[in-house]
Amino acid sequence: MRRTLYCGELREHHAGQTVVLEGWVNRRRNLGGLIFIDLRDREGLAQVVVNPEAACFSEADRVRAEWVIRVEGSVRLRPADQLNAKLATGAVEVIAERIEVLAEAKTPPFPIDAGWRGEDDPHVGEEVRLRNRVVDLRRRRLHHNLRLRHKVVAAIYRFLDAHGFISVETPYLTRSTPEGARDFLVPSRLEPGHFYALPQSPQLFKQMLMVAGYDRYFQIARCFRDEDLRADRQPDFTQLDMEMSFVTQEDIIALNEELAAFILRETLGQEPPLPFPRLTYTEVMNRYGSDKPDLRFGLELQDVTEAFRGGEFRAFAGAEVVKALVVPGLLSRREIEALEATAKTKGAAGLAWARFENGALSGGIARYIPAHLPEQLGLTEGHTLLLVAGPWRKTVESLGAVRLELGRQLGLIEPGFKFLWVVDFPLLEWDEEAGRWTYMHHPFTSPNLEDLHLLDTDPGRVRAYAYDFVLNGSEIGGGSIRIHRRDLQERMFALLGIGPEEAQQKFGFLLEALSYGAPPHGGIAWGLDRFVAHLAGEESIREVIAFPKNKEGKETLTGAPAPVDEAQLAAVGLAVRSEV
Amino acid sequence: MRRTLYCGELREHHAGQTVVLEGWVNRRRNLGGLIFIDLRDREGLAQVVVNPEAACFSEADRVRAEWVIRVEGSVRLRPADQLNAKLATGAVEVIAERIEVLAEAKTPPFPIDAGWRGEDDPHVGEEVRLRNRVVDLRRRRLHHNLRLRHKVVAAIYRFLDAHGFISVETPYLTRSTPEGARDFLVPSRLEPGHFYALPQSPQLFKQMLMVAGYDRYFQIARCFRDEDLRADRQPDFTQLDMEMSFVTQEDIIALNEELAAFILRETLGQEPPLPFPRLTYTEVMNRYGSDKPDLRFGLELQDVTEAFRGGEFRAFAGAEVVKALVVPGLLSRREIEALEATAKTKGAAGLAWARFENGALSGGIARYIPAHLPEQLGLTEGHTLLLVAGPWRKTVESLGAVRLELGRQLGLIEPGFKFLWVVDFPLLEWDEEAGRWTYMHHPFTSPNLEDLHLLDTDPGRVRAYAYDFVLNGSEIGGGSIRIHRRDLQERMFALLGIGPEEAQQKFGFLLEALSYGAPPHGGIAWGLDRFVAHLAGEESIREVIAFPKNKEGKETLTGAPAPVDEAQLAAVGLAVRSEV
């Protein structure tokens, strides 16, 4: 007696056949002397009916929710009044002839049957779910998410294989790489006192592969960063990592947006129109106040610096930048105050405002607003005007945060997937604390060759060949063209305050590799967890990871991290510090 | 000016076209005033000819081996006397019009150009190759191997996706799992004094996925074992890991041999005949003296215990087992002595022998050999008879080692791929040291249900639902049907001397999961590095890994493992022991 098909595959054309199903009891009911069992497997539910005169009736009477059973029976069409339109199997049922219990089950800590019936599963707190992850993973929603994730990865393999990419595995026990986060260390037993580091990304290895002539590389790579856990971070996470030789930035962008479109087509049947918008860093910052703008709604920032320049409103008169947001609707004082708090988290001194009400501007700083401004901004009856003034970056980012908040509050966000590329990032930014320039992407990013002459005279104005891939307000990928000439790489290290000795010690093998003839190359890495979470419509990446860590970095299923034997520590030449 | 095709893609039908090629200078020669450049990319070589009158002649004269250049030129058929049949591009050449140097290169530490011309690369010691891995990776052989590896992985994705398998990533920062090797530890910073372990395999996580109903799982998974490095081990290595629910051992075997055949077809164009042989553990040990026999040659062991039982040759008369090998050829005393040394490494007391020469047996123990034995064994003129006697396992393994040695020495090994399955392994073996039974596969392996009655009375005779996948004398995979009932798993732990408390502490989450209703399930893991090495015809797995560790577990490229800052250690609450 072997399974003939999945429960969820049962259809009307099976009527009359004898089938064997295996799965979990989603629900068992005794109705009018008959026993109804909803039998569940990963494909869905099948209704099993056990008649009182069936030999297996007593066995059927014994089974409970979540028991694992095998059922042999004949398929028949359900009576017209018992059809269940919610289920793909809802037109048929199986009349049980034999039932075998494969495993009994205790009552699960929370019910998981409703989702499989097409209803909502009850809310369960995340800590309880993670502690009982095996039961939690039975929920239909997690089945959907993990299968979607598989489909995404399978589509990536198909697409990149067809486009000449070679998947190569890079080391997981390696040396510290300079992504800027803390490394996880792995003590060596063969060399006590020495440590491997878990890779923060395969960055330098993929560059080595380009230098070695592999031309097109990819990897679904696990990466490790020992960062303080923010709400939605994991200490180990997954990147789609990619690198190409003899290409320009536009080649990489074009291929990756084709890949994104291919994935959406293969997994969700959607066809996002190509090409995706390419906007410069300066433009998205000015229009959306973010380097990863959510384009699912408008509500763009407008520049009103000139309108206030030298005017009577002192706070605005001399500001580097004044930015405005025209909000559809009349916001209350309380609403504006809440938005001001949001603006202040990004460094704004305050949030100025005025309302267009009863044919005129009133409230807030209404009397300081130049007469021509409403028309220029498209500000009319029923609108609220919000304004921030100050240094450029703080100003746009503050009002950008207000824009996002309003997008959510006012329900402006349209459903769907809005991709874009942000290009022309600055190569460097000024590190106030260290009093020197630091890289915005990583120290291997190539300057835009058109700006090379500014490298010594005006480094802040040098654009990078760097690009971010943005979806619905999240950065889902980022990459750059890399420096492929040793002399330029050394110059960049110097500019970043990395002396020749430190460069040799940390990046000697890169410099050495570049000296053997490196092709122009560049690449990108996608945050796979985040991307899949977007496709699945989930807020948290923990919903698309089978066994995630909780917010304290613990794996609650197995109880990691945990203390280890003294002997294990001694073997690697380490001791726990007594002051701990 | 953008690349129009790969160098190695150039063919006769391109004649007359203008092309742009980019790549490395494999060789540059000045012949009769013309400059010939073999330009190389991952697809192969193209011959570039620079005429003295060309504007780019002086640039061409400057380039050296391994420089990266871009060439624009027109394709023409080579003169009939200059065809190169060794190269796919050997019928054409490119007349250079423009040449641009993209990167200069210093002379590589060893030449890598010959292989790309279809000749043999000179031998270079492995340590030198690993220290200069980026140059080494340019060799054609490594290009071939890594691309083969990619094709294998891409084929695995295609096959398993089409067969309903879902790829799921399992944690890399987790808790110690009981594969029997030492764990690599990862100190936690958020919880100083606590440690994650890197997984030795995803075993328990994949069982969890089966309990959660995912039915068919796979993963190309990195695994970590801190073992003393034997010649051909890596501290981090790769498994194709797989698990299926509601299946029998035969289902798993049948699917995996189909997968192997699919891979060979897709990557090498070979069609190994299916099904592969399934031989029991007892049979392969008796016939080949190995649980991973090399079936590329015969030379089987024969049982002659009864022929000597109670006879005059004391050493054999009372032996548990006497095994014979009939060797085609007359071995010298010195050869026999060398083989005896091999036999003794596996525990044999000695290697008895006789030669069939000039119509009769002579030498060694010839006079003790029963008269009927030569005919029974097929022993005739020109053969040498080798014999080992003693306890069963030591005897067959000793003579098995001799068989392997002779297979190589006598050139008996046929080319090709000989797969087989070894089944019916014993569930348990007696641990002399500990004085108790221990598992042969792992503690989650299901006993053969037919032998369940022996579990308490005669545990050594209980067969397991365990199977090894063997290719050309290597175990390339191993798996089992797992225990899916909590009561049986607890009984197994008890038999293995794992008390209820220890079981709860180490495997509590498995027992808990089994209590929520687990389906019958089983799986397998392939050693991907080893499998690909076989397909590539390589002895060492380091030849199919882009950045392997050397024999001391060091990554010579980046210099891992390395000392770390005191501050990094302090952050995880550890100190290096002073006595180190």
Side-chain angles (χ1 to χ4, degrees):
Chain A
M1 194 159 90
R2 305 297 312 282
R3 174 165 72 180
T4 53
L5 78 172
Y6 284 116
C7 300
E9 290 176 338
L10 212 62
R11 294 290 181 279
E12 288 168 81
H13 69 262
H14 293 111
Q17 294 180 19
T18 293
V19 295
V20 177
L21 304 177
E22 295 179 307
W24 287 258
V25 174
N26 201 58
R27 193 164 56 161
R28 178 195 141 283
R29 289 166 300 164
N30 196 320
L31 295 176
L34 296 172
I35 293 174
F36 289 84
I37 292 171
D38 287 345
L39 195 63
R40 180 186 81 228
D41 60 26
R42 72 179 204 190
E43 303 298 333
L45 297 185
Q47 177 164 294
V48 175
V49 182
V50 192
N51 292 310
E53 58 274 15
C56 59
F57 187 84
S58 62
E59 196 71 349
D61 202 35
R62 201 165 75 85
V63 307
R64 292 292 176 272
E66 299 307 315
W67 286 29
V68 185
I69 64 171
R70 178 184 289 143
V71 174
E72 182 176 347
S74 56
V75 183
R76 71 167 188 199
L77 299 176
R78 293 195 198 181
D81 60 337
Q82 290 174 28
L83 299 178
N84 183 347
K86 272 199 216 159
L87 298 182
T89 62
V92 289
E93 60 193 7
V94 176
I95 308 304
E97 283 147 24
R98 292 168 66 189
I99 289 182
E100 189 181 341
V101 172
L102 300 174
E104 301 187 4
K106 64 180 187 185
T107 306
F110 45 86
I112 52 113
D113 56 306
W116 290 97
R117 280 197 302 275
E119 298 163 14
D120 285 336
D121 279 321
H123 175 78
V124 181
E126 192 179 30
E127 279 301 309
V128 175
R129 288 178 50 207
L130 289 180
R131 247 197 334 274
N132 299 279
R133 190 60 163 179
V134 176
V135 172
D136 191 35
L137 280 168
R138 286 189 184 167
R139 289 163 67 231
R140 190 184 196 174
R141 180 162 147 187
L142 279 175
H143 266 259
H144 169 80
N145 290 355
L146 292 185
R147 293 187 75 169
L148 175 64
R149 184 177 182 131
H150 161 71
K151 283 180 201 160
V152 168
V153 172
I156 288 170
Y157 262 89
R158 278 200 303 281
F159 182 91
L160 292 179
D161 183 51
H163 285 75
F165 283 79
I166 301 167
S167 61
V168 180
E169 295 181 70
T170 55
Y172 280 5
L173 293 174
T174 180
R175 188 151 171 194
S176 184
T177 49
E179 263 71 19
R182 242 186 237 100
D183 288 313
F184 281 107
L185 299 177
V186 182
S188 162
R189 187 175 49 85
L190 299 176
E191 234 177 317
H194 287 54
F195 297 81
Y196 300 100
L198 298 176
Q200 296 187 30
S201 88
Q203 180 63 33
L204 290 175
F205 289 108
K206 68 179 177 175
Q207 291 194 232
M208 299 294 106
L209 289 171
M210 294 302 101
V211 178
Y214 288 79
D215 206 82
R216 294 186 158 204
Y217 142 93
F218 81 105
Q219 185 180 196
I220 307 288
R222 209 72 66 86
C223 302
F224 304 86
R225 295 186 191 174
D226 188 11
E227 292 175 297
D228 293 319
L229 295 165
R230 281 197 251 139
D232 205 22
R233 283 251 180 97
Q234 289 280 309
D236 54 335
F237 60 97
T238 304
Q239 282 185 350
L240 162 60
D241 193 48
M242 193 188 298
E243 198 79 1
M244 303 168 77
S245 291
F246 302 111
V247 289
T248 63
Q249 170 174 310
E250 180 54 29
D251 295 328
I252 296 170
I253 285 179
L255 182 119
N256 276 274
E257 63 189 9
E258 269 182 59
L259 170 58
F262 181 80
I263 293 169
L264 261 69
R265 186 159 61 236
E266 296 281 304
T267 60
L268 302 177
Q270 297 208 10
E271 292 279 355
L274 292 181
F276 298 143
R278 288 136 175 76
L279 300 174
T280 68
Y281 170 77
T282 309
E283 186 174 0
V284 293
M285 290 293 274
N286 273 323
R287 289 172 57 190
Y288 304 101
S290 167
D291 60 1
K292 43 178 197 269
D294 190 338
L295 298 194
R296 289 175 298 176
F297 66 105
L299 203 65
E300 294 189 17
L301 279 55
Q302 302 191 59
D303 196 296
V304 293
T305 314
E306 290 312 316
F308 288 97
R309 170 89 63 220
E312 5 166 12
F313 191 50
R314 292 274 173 80
F316 283 21
E320 182 186 337
V321 163
V322 187
K323 287 280 177 177
L325 211 50
V326 174
V327 183
L330 294 169
L331 300 175
S332 70
R333 279 301 288 262
R334 222 160 55 90
E335 287 169 324
I336 293 169
E337 274 162 24
L339 292 169
E340 183 166 41
T342 298
K344 284 181 171 173
T345 64
K346 297 284 182 176
L351 183 68
W353 61 277
R355 281 190 292 243
F356 206 124
E357 208 171 2
N358 305 321
L361 278 171
S362 64
I365 64 157
R367 66 197 177 93
Y368 295 111
I369 290 173
H372 71 281
L373 204 57
E375 197 184 336
Q376 181 190 319
L377 297 177
L379 180 73
T380 56
E381 185 66 29
H383 283 163
T384 305
L385 177 66
L386 300 177
L387 298 153
V388 176
W392 177 71
R393 188 154 159 183
K394 277 183 185 170
T395 301
V396 295
E397 287 187 345
S398 302
L399 208 53
V402 170
R403 170 185 177 268
L404 266 187
E405 188 71 27
L406 282 168
R408 281 188 218 108
Q409 278 177 19
L410 303 177
L412 302 177
I413 300 174
E414 302 276 337
F417 300 104
K418 287 288 187 186
F419 292 91
L420 78 149
W421 293 94
V422 179
V423 299
D424 286 353
F425 277 87
L427 181 68
L428 302 161
E429 54 187 348
W430 185 252
D431 184 335
E432 292 286 353
E433 218 168 293
R436 58 171 168 72
W437 294 101
T438 185
Y439 48 84
M440 235 178 134
H441 190 61
H442 57 50
F444 321 114
T445 299
S446 175
N448 187 317
L449 297 181
E450 290 172 19
D451 297 347
L452 215 47
H453 62 286
L454 298 169
L455 209 49
D456 295 321
T457 54
D458 195 357
R461 279 184 53 215
V462 177
R463 291 165 299 166
Y465 287 133
Y467 31 89
D468 276 357
F469 196 16
V470 177
L471 168 59
N472 292 356
S474 285
E475 181 200 328
I476 54 162
S480 66
I481 297 293
R482 327 299 182 185
I483 295 169
H484 76 281
R485 294 171 71 139
R486 181 175 175 143
D487 54 349
L488 184 55
Q489 184 66 69
E490 285 173 328
R491 203 172 148 197
M492 185 61 54
F493 284 150
L495 193 62
L496 295 167
I498 301 171
E501 220 166 290
E502 189 185 351
Q504 191 55 43
Q505 196 221 324
K506 285 193 181 164
F507 307 116
F509 65 100
L510 172 69
L511 293 172
E512 174 79 359
L514 294 183
S515 70
Y516 286 123
H521 64 285
I524 192 170
W526 297 33
L528 191 70
D529 307 297
R530 167 70 42 218
F531 178 62
V532 174
H534 271 289
L535 298 199
E538 294 287 0
E539 288 286 321
S540 163
I541 61 172
R542 290 185 296 276
E543 301 296 335
V544 297
I545 295 173
F547 302 101
K549 308 279 184 290
N550 71 9
K551 286 171 188 166
E552 283 81 45
K554 292 197 191 192
E555 201 206 22
T556 45
L557 184 74
T558 62
V564 297
D565 293 348
E566 171 60 19
Q568 275 181 283
L569 274 186
V572 292
L574 292 177
V576 174
R577 280 173 194 249
S578 50
E579 67 263 38
V580 171
Chain B
M1 194 159 88
R2 304 297 313 282
R3 174 165 73 178
T4 53
L5 77 173
Y6 283 116
C7 299
E9 288 176 339
L10 212 62
R11 295 289 182 280
E12 290 168 79
H13 69 261
H14 294 112
Q17 295 181 18
T18 293
V19 296
V20 176
L21 304 177
E22 295 178 308
W24 287 258
V25 174
N26 201 57
R27 191 164 56 161
R28 179 196 142 284
R29 288 165 302 163
N30 196 321
L31 295 176
L34 295 172
I35 292 175
F36 289 84
I37 293 171
D38 287 343
L39 195 63
R40 180 187 80 228
D41 60 24
R42 73 177 202 190
E43 302 299 333
L45 297 185
Q47 179 164 291
V48 175
V49 182
V50 192
N51 292 310
E53 59 275 15
C56 58
F57 187 85
S58 62
E59 195 71 351
D61 201 35
R62 200 167 75 85
V63 307
R64 293 292 176 271
E66 301 305 316
W67 286 30
V68 184
I69 65 172
R70 178 185 288 142
V71 175
E72 182 176 346
S74 57
V75 183
R76 71 167 186 200
L77 298 176
R78 295 195 197 180
D81 60 337
Q82 288 175 28
L83 300 179
N84 182 346
K86 270 199 219 160
L87 297 182
T89 63
V92 290
E93 59 193 8
V94 176
I95 309 302
E97 284 148 23
R98 291 168 66 191
I99 290 182
E100 188 182 341
V101 172
L102 300 174
E104 301 187 4
K106 64 180 188 187
T107 307
F110 45 85
I112 51 112
D113 56 306
W116 289 96
R117 280 197 302 275
E119 299 163 14
D120 284 338
D121 278 322
H123 174 78
V124 180
E126 191 179 31
E127 277 303 309
V128 175
R129 289 178 49 207
L130 289 180
R131 247 198 333 273
N132 298 279
R133 188 61 163 181
V134 176
V135 173
D136 192 35
L137 280 168
R138 286 189 183 166
R139 291 164 66 231
R140 190 184 198 176
R141 180 162 147 186
L142 279 175
H143 266 260
H144 168 81
N145 291 354
L146 292 184
R147 293 187 74 169
L148 175 64
R149 185 178 180 129
H150 161 71
K151 283 180 201 161
V152 168
V153 172
I156 288 170
Y157 262 88
R158 278 201 301 283
F159 181 91
L160 292 179
D161 183 50
H163 284 76
F165 283 79
I166 302 166
S167 62
V168 179
E169 295 181 69
T170 54
Y172 280 5
L173 294 173
T174 179
R175 187 149 173 197
S176 184
T177 49
E179 264 70 20
R182 242 186 237 99
D183 287 313
F184 280 107
L185 299 177
V186 182
S188 164
R189 187 176 50 85
L190 298 177
E191 232 177 318
H194 287 54
F195 297 81
Y196 299 100
L198 298 175
Q200 296 188 30
S201 89
Q203 180 64 33
L204 291 176
F205 289 109
K206 67 178 177 174
Q207 292 194 232
M208 298 295 106
L209 288 171
M210 294 303 101
V211 179
Y214 287 79
D215 207 80
R216 293 186 157 204
Y217 143 94
F218 81 105
Q219 185 179 195
I220 307 287
R222 210 71 65 87
C223 302
F224 304 84
R225 296 185 190 174
D226 188 9
E227 293 176 296
D228 294 318
L229 295 165
R230 280 198 251 141
D232 204 22
R233 284 250 179 96
Q234 289 280 309
D236 54 334
F237 60 97
T238 304
Q239 283 185 351
L240 161 59
D241 193 47
M242 193 188 297
E243 197 80 1
M244 304 168 77
S245 291
F246 301 111
V247 290
T248 63
Q249 169 174 311
E250 180 54 30
D251 294 328
I252 297 171
I253 285 178
L255 183 120
N256 276 273
E257 63 188 10
E258 268 183 58
L259 171 57
F262 181 79
I263 293 169
L264 261 70
R265 186 159 62 235
E266 296 283 303
T267 59
L268 302 176
Q270 297 208 11
E271 291 280 354
L274 292 181
F276 298 143
R278 288 137 174 75
L279 300 174
T280 67
Y281 170 78
T282 310
E283 185 174 1
V284 293
M285 290 293 275
N286 274 322
R287 288 172 58 190
Y288 304 100
S290 167
D291 61 1
K292 43 179 197 269
D294 190 338
L295 298 195
R296 289 175 298 175
F297 66 106
L299 202 67
E300 294 189 17
L301 280 56
Q302 301 191 58
D303 195 296
V304 293
T305 313
E306 289 312 316
F308 288 95
R309 170 91 64 223
E312 1 165 16
F313 190 50
R314 292 274 172 83
F316 283 21
E320 183 185 334
V321 163
V322 186
K323 287 281 176 176
L325 211 51
V326 174
V327 184
L330 295 169
L331 301 175
S332 71
R333 279 300 288 261
R334 222 161 53 90
E335 288 169 323
I336 292 169
E337 273 163 24
L339 292 170
E340 183 167 41
T342 299
K344 283 180 172 174
T345 64
K346 297 284 182 177
L351 183 67
W353 60 278
R355 282 190 292 243
F356 203 124
E357 209 172 357
N358 303 322
L361 278 171
S362 64
I365 63 157
R367 65 193 174 97
Y368 295 111
I369 291 174
H372 71 278
L373 203 57
E375 196 185 335
Q376 181 190 320
L377 297 177
L379 180 72
T380 57
E381 185 66 30
H383 282 164
T384 305
L385 178 66
L386 300 175
L387 296 153
V388 175
W392 177 71
R393 188 154 161 184
K394 278 184 184 169
T395 301
V396 295
E397 287 188 345
S398 302
L399 209 53
V402 170
R403 171 184 176 267
L404 266 187
E405 189 72 27
L406 283 168
R408 281 189 217 107
Q409 279 178 20
L410 303 178
L412 303 178
I413 300 176
E414 303 275 337
F417 300 104
K418 286 288 188 187
F419 291 91
L420 78 149
W421 294 95
V422 179
V423 299
D424 286 352
F425 278 87
L427 181 68
L428 302 163
E429 54 188 347
W430 185 253
D431 183 336
E432 294 285 352
E433 219 169 293
R436 58 171 168 72
W437 294 102
T438 185
Y439 48 84
M440 235 178 133
H441 190 61
H442 57 49
F444 321 116
T445 300
S446 175
N448 186 316
L449 297 182
E450 289 171 20
D451 298 346
L452 215 48
H453 62 285
L454 299 169
L455 209 50
D456 294 321
T457 55
D458 194 358
R461 280 184 53 216
V462 177
R463 291 165 299 165
Y465 286 134
Y467 31 89
D468 276 358
F469 196 17
V470 176
L471 168 59
N472 293 356
S474 285
E475 180 200 327
I476 54 162
S480 65
I481 297 293
R482 328 299 181 185
I483 296 168
H484 76 281
R485 293 170 72 139
R486 180 174 176 144
D487 54 348
L488 184 56
Q489 184 66 69
E490 285 175 327
R491 203 172 147 197
M492 185 62 55
F493 284 148
L495 194 62
L496 296 168
I498 301 171
E501 221 167 287
E502 188 186 351
Q504 191 54 42
Q505 195 221 324
K506 286 192 180 163
F507 308 115
F509 65 101
L510 171 68
L511 294 173
E512 175 78 358
L514 294 184
S515 70
Y516 285 123
H521 63 287
I524 191 169
W526 298 33
L528 192 70
D529 307 297
R530 167 69 42 217
F531 177 63
V532 174
H534 271 288
L535 298 197
E538 295 286 1
E539 289 285 322
S540 164
I541 62 173
R542 290 186 296 277
E543 302 295 336
V544 297
I545 296 173
F547 303 101
K549 308 280 182 291
N550 71 8
K551 286 171 187 167
E552 284 80 46
K554 292 196 191 193
E555 200 205 24
T556 47
L557 184 75
T558 62
V564 297
D565 293 347
E566 171 61 18
Q568 276 180 282
L569 274 188
V572 292
L574 292 177
V576 174
R577 281 173 193 249
S578 49
E579 67 263 39
V580 171

